[in-house]
């Protein structure tokens, strides 16, 4: 798989269940992202959701997908930390009325784990093993903040890396209720503050 195809595949995975499409204007900046060299200190994810839903703590995951020639694909997950500082949201569009934007970054410990994974891939490359790395982000665990009826649940997901230098929309205004399977899963999401966790699949 060439690099552009891998970037687009992983970008599509940013949607909660792999649905939706990448805006055409986002394809060039997303195609510049290289998981092997990107500056992890600049990696940010932002998710715009209706105020009805809220990601649970630890529910936004960064997946690093690695593949070595002749070996099975491996996936390593990192739980992203929510950030509230205004400077971390610079460049994000203000959410429409009735929506909120949640921004995330890697914790220092997980950034170190990621670096170790990259170093391992580089070392194996020096030993003659060809491989690739890709990124995907998923908001998988939610709670219900409000019980108000909704005719639509639009989600927009942004990604910023050292290559893009600003937040790029990966998915824009995808209506969760437009997919029957996802709408059914959303119906089982628990109220915020409850212990059980529901994963949108």
């Amino acid at each position: 798989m060439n690099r552009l195809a891998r970037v687009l595949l992983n970008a599509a995975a940013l949607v909660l269940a792999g649905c939706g499409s990448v805006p055409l204007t986002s394809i060039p900046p997303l195609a510049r992202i290289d998981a092997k060299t990107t500056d992890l200190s600049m990696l940010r994810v932002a998710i715009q959701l209706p105020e009805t839903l809220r990601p649970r703590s630890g529910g936004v995951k960064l997946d690093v997908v690695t593949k070595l020639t002749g070996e099975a694909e491996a996936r390593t997950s990192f739980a992203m930390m929510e950030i509230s500082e205004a400077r971390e949201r610079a460049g994000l569009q203000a959410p429409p009325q009735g929506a909120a934007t949640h921004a995330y970054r890697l914790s220092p410990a997980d950034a170190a784990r990621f670096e170790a994974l990259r170093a391992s891939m580089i070392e194996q490359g020096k030993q003659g093993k060809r491989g690739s790395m890709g990124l995907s982000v998923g908001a998988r665990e939610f709670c219900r903040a409000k019980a108000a009826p909704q005719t639509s649940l639009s989600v927009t997901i942004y990604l910023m890396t050292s290559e893009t230098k600003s937040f790029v929309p990966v998915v824009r205004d995808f209506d969760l209720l437009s997919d029957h399977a996802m709408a059914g899963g959303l119906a089982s999401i628990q109220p915020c503050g409850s212990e059980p966790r529901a994963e949108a699949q």
Side-chain angles (χ1 to χ4, degrees), residues 24-197:
L24 291 177
T25 55
S26 298
I27 291 176
L30 291 174
R32 293 196 296 268
I33 299 172
D34 188 342
K36 290 184 178 180
T37 59
T38 194
D39 184 348
L40 299 181
S41 69
M42 293 184 65
L43 179 63
R44 301 288 186 274
V45 173
I47 303 175
Q48 179 183 291
L49 288 169
E51 292 179 339
T52 306
L53 295 176
R54 184 181 303 157
R56 285 190 182 273
S57 176
V60 176
K61 309 282 189 182
L62 172 71
D63 289 339
V64 180
V65 182
T66 57
K67 178 71 170 68
L68 291 170
T69 301
E71 298 184 15
E73 186 176 87
R75 184 178 299 265
T76 306
S77 292
F78 304 88
M80 302 197 77
M81 294 175 51
E82 187 164 8
I83 48 181
S84 57
E85 296 91 340
R87 62 185 176 82
E88 299 281 7
R89 298 165 176 264
L92 277 173
Q93 295 182 358
Q97 184 176 4
T101 301
H102 308 267
Y104 299 86
R105 65 173 173 81
L106 285 174
S107 70
D110 276 345
R113 287 177 57 213
F114 194 151
E115 290 288 10
L117 182 60
R118 290 203 296 198
S120 174
M121 290 290 291
I122 291 172
E123 181 61 30
Q124 292 183 81
K126 292 178 179 178
Q127 296 174 12
K129 294 184 178 180
R130 299 185 62 182
S132 63
M133 296 183 73
L135 303 177
S136 67
V137 179
R140 300 174 185 164
E141 296 173 0
F142 298 89
C143 62
R144 190 174 67 248
K146 296 182 180 179
Q150 298 283 323
T151 57
S152 66
L153 288 174
S154 294
V155 174
T156 297
I157 302 179
Y158 301 91
L159 177 65
M160 179 172 73
T161 69
S162 54
E163 293 86 358
T164 67
K165 296 183 170 48
S166 62
F167 283 100
V168 176
V170 180
V171 178
R172 188 186 293 279
D173 297 330
F174 175 70
D175 183 6
L176 301 181
L177 298 183
S178 67
D179 182 277
H180 295 299
M182 293 180 69
L186 290 167
S188 65
I189 290 179
Q190 300 297 310
C192 294
S194 60
E195 288 300 320
R197 295 194 169 195

